[in-house]
Each structure stands twice: as structure tokens, then as C-alpha cells.
């Protein structure tokens, strides 16, 4: 930090700052102490019993649409017993049982269309869609009718609805110099910028690999940054450090240089088990369940670390999803798509779910869905 200027130059500096900051609210990160959580990510240290993490599960077999077949699920959001799924530019709306309510594809260059569908978020009465390439955010009703379009000053990689507006996350450095911006829907403008870039960021991954909005609760929004082991609270004074992680891996992400893209890092790391960043989480009354992304072979699966924020010095537990089959949770196999309302949400093809049910001798009701390409959404409920 520079020393405070004195005399007239100091007055001029302060007046200039006040004039500039009156246009867009800028909240700096408070330099406060935060809990540091020690995590052992060794695969041999993972627990063998998932009952300490989950107490139940349910599932929804998604009804297919004849016009728009669903491919890989790019992003999913769940709110008020409604699921919205983006796949290959098509938006599918389901109820919580898997019944198809509607679907639409607005991919194109028209004023009410998106070139790319980077991210989606369910609002109170609509769906917000982010087109990174067009630098636009669009809102649609649940039948696919465009309600409003919003021009954005920069390209953003992710969005999340909040009570105050729409939070937008940058993926690489832009002229705002901040990672997160709050978009006021009424004013159609950015009104706050939070968490300044600590360095020039030229990384590129994808919302499918990295999601900065890891938790949205009542009066609380927790976020992370790429290649950063800290969890930040956006709703408490703009951008406070909530907690940080210290991983026991031989090397840390900072050992491999700055300004490297995802694929550059992947090739450079080789077989090094290095943590990329903390992932989506569930913050319950007693425990935090934080997913962790790791390079190397473990990065193809999801690791979940369970710990207590009230007693951060206590050793937590690590569960590895993907390499083991857990008794009582036969469908706990695939990487996390989202965490909402205490549920770990994942998906698998219907054929895979039927094979697991047959081999494990567990009940599975596919309803009237017989399409081999159909998807099943699983909701595993975190234990409290």
C-alpha cells in the first residue's frame, strides 16, 4: 500500500477517488484473519462409509423430448421444485419428478437469442441465461419467451441470482479489474465490483469445469476464484475471507507459475496430485461439505471434505466419489453437477442406472421412460 499523501495533493486524490467511486460501488476485501482448514487429500485416507456424509437419496428419470435430444448436461439449476438443464444450447425445464414441462433452443444471432449458453440461473419467475460471446444476459419465461435482454460491459463466465440482483463472475482479467460484479436489473448496470484480481488472469477453463459460485444461502453467498484455496463471502462487507484451505499435497498450484491456462497446467502437472480449487459446497448447521477438484486421475471424480467451522482445528473426513461403491448408496458414482438445498446432484444414463440396480439388487423405478439416451438425476442428501 502506498503511504497516504499529504497536503493539497492528498485532498485532490481523495476528491478524485470519491467522484470515481460514486459511479460504481467498489468493495475491497477486508484483511481479516480467517480459519485455515488442513486437508489430507491422499486417496488412501478416504473413508469407506458414506453414511457419515449422506442419510438418503432420491432420483428423477428425465422424460426425453422428441425434438431436442439431450446430450451432455452442461449446467443445471434447481429451485422451487423445478429443474432447469442446459445441454448443447437447449434449455430443458422439468419438475422435480423428471416430468418435462417445456424446452426451447434460442441459439442464433437474433436480438432475443444467444450464440453460446455459458450459464443459467433460476430467478423468481424466469430463467437468466448468460451468453459470454455476445456479452449479454437474457431472461426467458418457463415457456421460452424472451422477457428482457441486458447488455454487459465485459464478457462474463458465470452468473448467480441473488436478492440484490445478478452476480456475474469474470473468468479472465477485464477493465473492471474485479472478479465479481453485481448487476442491478432495474438500472441495467453494474452497481458493485468485489474482489480485485491479484494478478493478470488469462486462464480459461469453462463453467463446466469451474463454478465460482459455490454456495448460495439465506443472506449468504460464498465464492471461490480459480487456482485459489480461499472461500470468500460476497454478502458480508463485499468480499471477506470466510476460510482457507491448506492441502497436504507435495506441491501446490502456486508452484507451477502464473497465468497458465487449464490445459497448460494439466500438461505441466502430469501425474502430480495437485488441488485446482475448492468446488461447490453445502453449509449445514453443523458441518461444511466442500467438493475438491484435483488434477491427475482423481480430477475425473469428486472428492468431498467434511469439517466443522465451529471447530476448524478438528480433523475432517474425505469421501471419494467414483472409485468405490458405497453400501446403501449404489448410485453415488458420478461427479457433482450442483449442490442445492442440501443435495449433492449428479446424473447418469438410464442404462447405467438400470445396470447398477440389477447388479446390486436394489429397487429402481424408471416409470414409463424407455429411451436408452434418457438421463437420471440423483439427489443425495447430506447428513446433519
Amino acid at each position: 500500500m502506498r503511504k497516504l499523501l499529504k497536503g493539497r495533493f492528498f485532498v485532490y486524490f481523495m476528491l478524485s477517488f470519491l467522484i470515481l467511486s460514486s459511479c460504481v460501488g467498489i468493495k475491497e476485501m477486508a484483511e481479516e484473519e480467517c480459519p485455515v482448514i488442513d486437508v489430507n487429500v491422499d486417496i488412501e485416507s478416504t473413508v469407506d462409509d458414506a453414511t457419515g456424509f449422506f442419510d438418503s437419496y432420491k432420483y428423477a428419470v428425465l422424460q426425453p423430448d422428441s425434438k431436442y435430444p439431450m446430450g451432455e448436461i452442461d449446467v443445471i439449476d434447481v429451485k422451487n421444485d423445478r429443474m432447469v438443464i442446459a445441454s448443447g444450447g437447449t434449455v430443458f425445464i422439468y419438475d422435480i419428478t423428471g416430468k418435462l414441462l417445456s424446452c426451447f433452443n434460442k441459439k442464433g444471432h437474433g436480438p432475443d437469442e444467444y450464440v453460446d449458453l455459458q450459464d443459467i440461473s433460476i430467478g423468481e419467475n424466469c430463467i437468466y441465461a448468460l451468453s459470454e460471446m455476445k456479452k449479454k444476459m437474457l431472461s426467458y419465461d418457463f415457456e421460452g419467451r424472451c422477457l428482457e435482454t441486458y447488455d454487459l460491459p465485459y464478457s462474463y463466465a458465470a452468473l448467480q441470482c441473488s436478492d440484490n440482483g445478478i452476480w456475474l463472475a469474470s473468468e479472465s482479467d477485464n477493465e473492471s479489474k474485479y472478479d465479481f460484479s453485481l448487476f442491478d436489473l432495474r438500472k441495467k448496470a453494474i452497481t458493485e465490483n468485489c474482489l480485485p484480481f491479484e494478478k493478470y488472469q488469462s486462464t480459461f477453463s469453462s463453467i463446466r469445469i469451474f463454478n465460482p459460485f459455490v454456495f448460495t444461502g439465506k443472506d449468504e453467498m460464498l465464492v471461490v476464484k480459480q487456482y485459489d484455496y480461499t472461500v470468500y463471502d460476497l454478502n458480508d462487507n463485499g468480499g471477506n475471507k470466510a476460510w482457507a484451505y491448506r492441502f497436504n499435497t507435495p506441491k501446490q498450484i502456486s508452484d507451477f507459475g502464473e497465468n497458465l491456462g487449464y490445459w497448460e497446467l494439466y500438461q505441466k502437472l502430469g501425474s502430480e496430485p495437485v488441488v485446482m480449487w475448492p468446488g461447490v459446497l453445502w453449509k449445514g448447521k453443523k458441518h461444511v461439505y466442500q467438493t475438491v477438484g484435483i488434477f491427475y486421475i482423481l480430477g475425473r471424480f469428486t472428492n468431498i471434505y467434511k469439517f466443522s467451522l465451529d471447530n476448524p482445528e478438528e480433523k475432517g473426513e474425505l469421501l471419494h466419489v467414483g472409485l468405490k461403491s458405497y453400501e446403501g448408496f449404489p448410485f453415488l458414482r458420478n461427479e457433482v453437477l450442483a449442490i442445492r438445498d442440501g443435495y449433492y446432484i449428479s446424473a447418469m444414463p438410464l442404462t447405467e442406472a438400470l445396470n447398477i440396480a440389477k447388479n446390486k439388487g436394489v429397487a429402481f423405478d424408471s416409470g414409463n421412460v424407455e429411451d436408452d439416451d434418457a438421463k437420471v438425476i440423483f439427489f443425495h442428501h447430506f447428513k446433519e
Side-chain angles (χ1 to χ4, degrees):
M1 297 291 293
R2 295 181 178 179
K3 295 181 178 180
L4 294 178
L5 301 178
K6 297 182 179 180
R8 295 179 180 177
F9 187 61
F10 172 71
V11 174
Y12 173 79
F13 171 81
M14 290 303 296
L15 287 174
S16 300
F17 175 79
L18 290 173
I19 292 172
L20 288 173
S21 63
S22 66
C23 299
V24 178
I26 297 177
K27 294 184 177 181
E28 301 289 344
M29 183 181 66
E31 290 296 331
E32 298 178 355
E33 293 294 328
C34 69
V36 178
I37 313 300
D38 287 297
V39 183
N40 181 358
V41 298
D42 185 356
I43 186 61
E44 299 300 327
S45 68
T46 58
V47 299
D48 294 321
D49 187 0
T51 58
F53 285 70
F54 301 99
D55 54 21
S56 62
Y57 71 89
K58 59 183 180 180
Y59 57 88
V61 181
L62 302 182
Q63 292 181 352
D65 180 80
S66 57
K67 184 179 180 181
Y68 298 114
M70 182 183 293
E72 179 184 355
I73 295 177
D74 298 328
V75 63
I76 184 173
D77 197 11
V78 180
K79 184 177 180 180
N80 297 333
D81 292 334
R82 182 183 277 119
M83 291 186 287
V84 176
I85 295 172
S87 175
T90 301
V91 177
F92 299 85
I93 298 96
Y94 292 92
D95 69 11
I96 204 66
T97 68
K99 179 182 178 182
L100 182 63
L101 302 177
S102 63
C103 62
F104 61 88
N105 188 309
K106 301 292 184 178
K107 198 169 183 178
H109 294 276
D112 297 344
E113 298 176 325
Y114 42 80
V115 175
D116 61 316
L117 195 55
Q118 181 69 12
D119 197 11
I120 56 175
S121 183
I122 302 176
E124 287 302 319
N125 299 298
C126 65
I127 301 165
Y128 292 97
L130 179 66
S131 181
E132 185 179 27
M133 295 177 66
K134 291 188 72 172
K135 296 183 181 179
K136 285 183 180 293
M137 180 174 63
L138 307 97
S139 63
Y140 297 94
D141 67 15
F142 294 106
E143 298 297 325
R145 290 180 289 265
C146 186
L147 303 176
E148 188 67 83
T149 61
Y150 305 91
D151 293 321
L152 303 176
Y154 316 109
S155 293
Y156 291 93
L159 81 167
Q160 181 63 51
C161 294
S162 74
D163 293 338
N164 299 322
I166 306 293
W167 280 104
L168 300 165
S170 302
E171 188 167 61
S172 57
D173 200 3
N174 57 44
E175 292 179 18
S176 76
K177 302 300 181 185
Y178 286 81
D179 263 297
F180 297 92
S181 300
L182 181 63
F183 189 90
D184 188 304
L185 294 169
R186 183 177 57 84
K187 296 179 180 178
K188 293 188 176 182
I190 300 293
T191 55
E192 289 185 18
N193 286 310
C194 296
L195 295 178
F197 288 119
E198 295 180 2
K199 61 182 178 61
Y200 177 75
Q201 291 179 266
S202 58
T203 59
F204 177 82
S205 57
S206 169
I207 190 61
R208 304 172 195 179
I209 299 173
F210 169 71
N211 188 344
F213 298 105
V214 295
F215 176 77
T216 302
K218 186 178 181 180
D219 302 323
E220 184 176 34
M221 181 171 291
L222 301 177
V223 299
V224 296
K225 301 194 292 184
Q226 289 188 90
Y227 316 117
D228 186 335
Y229 295 162
T230 305
V231 177
Y232 302 89
D233 182 357
L234 272 188
N235 288 337
D236 184 8
N237 197 27
N240 288 337
K241 293 180 179 179
W243 66 85
Y245 289 104
R246 183 165 48 222
F247 299 101
N248 72 327
T249 52
K251 293 184 179 180
Q252 309 299 311
I253 199 73
S254 57
D255 296 329
F256 294 87
E258 298 181 349
N259 305 326
L260 293 179
Y262 176 80
W263 294 113
E264 292 177 286
L265 275 171
Y266 189 86
Q267 295 172 350
K268 195 170 183 179
L269 287 169
S271 60
E272 296 281 355
V274 176
V275 175
M276 294 184 289
W277 46 67
V280 291
L281 66 90
W282 176 248
K283 187 178 179 183
K285 295 178 180 179
K286 296 181 180 179
H287 297 97
V288 172
Y289 298 86
Q290 176 98 57
T291 61
V292 180
I294 305 177
F295 278 102
Y296 185 48
I297 189 173
L298 304 188
R300 295 185 297 175
F301 305 101
T302 299
N303 301 273
I304 308 172
Y305 191 70
K306 174 185 176 182
F307 69 95
S308 170
L309 266 180
D310 292 332
N311 299 289
E313 70 284 351
E314 292 184 359
K315 182 180 179 181
E317 295 180 304
L318 186 71
L319 183 75
H320 189 70
V321 178
L323 292 182
K324 299 179 181 180
S325 179
Y326 295 104
E327 185 175 354
F329 301 94
F331 303 103
L332 186 62
R333 301 286 187 91
N334 295 44
E335 63 183 332
V336 65
L337 291 175
I339 291 178
R340 297 286 188 275
D341 298 325
Y343 287 98
Y344 175 103
I345 302 173
S346 60
M348 69 173 60
L350 175 59
T351 51
E352 182 181 349
L354 290 172
N355 287 333
I356 291 174
K358 180 179 178 180
N359 294 333
K360 294 293 183 179
V362 297
F364 184 87
D365 182 10
S366 61
N368 298 320
V369 179
E370 298 179 354
D371 192 326
D372 291 341
D373 294 327
K375 300 290 192 300
V376 185
I377 304 295
F378 286 92
F379 302 86
H380 287 82
H381 188 261
F382 286 111
K383 184 176 182 179
E384 278 299 336

